[in-house]
Amino acid sequence: MTRAVTGRTFAKINLGLRVKGRRPDGYHELQTVFQAIDLADTLTFRAAAGPVRVRCSGEQAPADERNLVWQAAERLWATLGRPDAPAGVSVAVRKRSPPQAGLGGGSADAAAALGALARIWRARLTEIDVSGIAADLGADVPYFLCGGTALGLGRGDEIFPLADLPPLPVVVAMPRFGIATADAFRWFDEDVDIGAAEPAPAAGSARPRCPTLWRPDADRLVNDLEACVVRRRPVIGEMIARLRESGASAAAMSGSGSAVYGLFPDSRRASRAAAQLAGRGWTALATRTLTRRESGARLFRGRTVV
Ligand code: C5P
């Protein structure tokens, strides 16, 4: 029996995020390209007596029912329809991916939790079950079942894998504060009269076909949330400008912020730029994009350790 599973979960950036309209469910219809980056949390799941327990170290994250890993465990247990016995698992999360950054750290951990706990609890689940739970947990979570480069439509939860990009040097930088996703979308609504989204295609009908070979050209990396966030948090605009000055071929906010990223032609320039931004008191990291195989979230390529 699998007693414990450990492994890493990788964060993402959004290579462009277009807001297409407001949906009747209160969400926004999006068109975005998710890209895995080499910034990882490490998670260890252990079968244990008693209720779900989550311990976090490193970057701050809640360890109670606000934590998406905790919610993933609860939802999975409920879906399995097992008697009301304690789910019994303890989860240790070593966090490197900061919260409220638009890097999807909490969502990546939740997606991994679904895979790891399914193993520990010997769950028989279809892909549809898992995707459904993932989408219920948060609009970003389904992407982390796929990883690599992927188009996100709908709330960002309808995922279409794209061909891997060649590894690209990336600098990710964070101000000293985070931004709640709901705030960024509310600010967007205050500033932009986007109107209602086109009704979604009927169930079963095909979404518009997307090119599987997609390139991160600078003119595609537009984030429609960026201007309204920068208006209220100008330091984010300053960080993007510094990334461009430091040689980024493109720079933008990731998701709903507060992290920003720049794409660089080579890793030496990326390291230099990260050092320059860190010198201004911001958190900055030189990293790179990952292929789907490298980010391998799908089955949570964690090792069974016991
Ligand atoms: O799904 P998640 O809990 O991550 O979303 C947090 C909030 O962000 C939502 O309650 C909603 O206000 C906003 N959001 C949105 N449109 C999206 C994704 C998120 O309006 N596509």
Side-chain angles (χ1 to χ4, degrees):
M1 180 186 164
T2 304
R3 303 286 307 163
V5 176
T6 191
R8 294 191 299 160
T9 61
F10 294 94
K12 58 82 178 166
I13 52 175
N14 295 78
L15 297 175
L17 186 153
R18 306 312 307 249
V19 181
K20 307 304 254 183
R22 268 193 287 145
R23 298 163 44 117
D25 61 6
Y27 276 75
H28 293 74
E29 187 76 10
L30 303 184
Q31 190 175 322
T32 185
V33 172
F34 294 105
Q35 173 61 57
I37 56 166
D38 191 2
L39 169 62
D41 294 345
T42 305
L43 283 81
T44 303
F45 299 83
R46 280 179 202 286
V52 177
R53 271 171 301 160
V54 181
R55 276 180 296 122
C56 293
S57 59
E59 291 284 341
Q60 280 192 339
D64 54 20
E65 61 276 10
R66 288 168 300 161
N67 190 302
L68 276 182
V69 168
W70 196 95
Q71 293 175 27
E74 286 286 301
R75 295 282 175 100
L76 182 60
W77 191 253
T79 304
L80 294 176
R82 296 196 178 158
D84 211 19
V89 69
S90 90
V91 189
V93 185
R94 186 145 50 84
K95 280 215 80 69
R96 285 195 63 219
S97 182
Q100 298 202 319
L103 301 175
S107 301
D109 297 348
L114 295 176
L117 295 177
R119 267 162 73 185
I120 288 178
W121 290 338
R122 298 205 200 158
R124 282 177 199 275
L125 289 166
T126 66
E127 243 176 69
I128 293 172
D129 292 331
V130 175
S131 315
I133 302 173
D136 275 354
L137 288 167
D140 267 2
V141 181
Y143 159 69
F144 291 99
L145 299 172
C146 171
T149 309
L151 177 69
L153 300 179
R155 299 183 312 149
D157 55 349
E158 294 175 34
I159 300 299
F160 300 83
L162 299 174
D164 285 326
L165 300 178
L168 282 172
V170 180
V171 172
V172 175
M174 277 276 300
R176 289 174 187 275
F177 54 85
I179 292 174
T181 307
D183 285 345
F185 280 101
R186 186 166 45 78
W187 296 338
F188 178 86
D189 286 340
E190 284 168 15
D191 291 4
V192 183
D193 187 11
I194 188 86
E198 301 263 312
S205 67
R207 279 286 193 174
R209 282 197 69 73
C210 52
T212 49
L213 202 58
W214 183 89
R215 294 163 61 88
D217 301 329
D219 59 348
R220 288 183 164 169
L221 305 190
V222 176
N223 182 337
D224 286 334
L225 297 176
E226 190 177 294
C228 11
V229 172
V230 167
R231 244 188 86 196
R232 288 149 180 101
R233 303 285 184 268
V235 70
I236 290 178
E238 208 186 309
M239 295 171 82
I240 293 170
R242 293 289 164 270
L243 283 166
R244 291 193 180 123
E245 276 171 22
S246 313
S249 54
M253 189 173 79
S254 182
S256 52
S258 59
V260 300
Y261 67 86
L263 304 182
F264 282 80
D266 60 74
S267 50
R268 277 192 38 211
R269 259 185 277 194
S271 300
R272 259 203 319 260
Q276 279 165 8
L277 268 81
R280 293 174 174 269
W282 299 317
T283 302
L285 166 82
T287 179
R288 69 172 178 93
T289 59
L290 297 178
T291 63
R292 177 155 305 111
R293 199 184 158 84
E294 287 171 319
S295 58
R298 187 174 190 76
L299 294 170
F300 185 56
R301 298 195 311 170
R303 289 176 299 116
T304 301
V305 288
V306 178

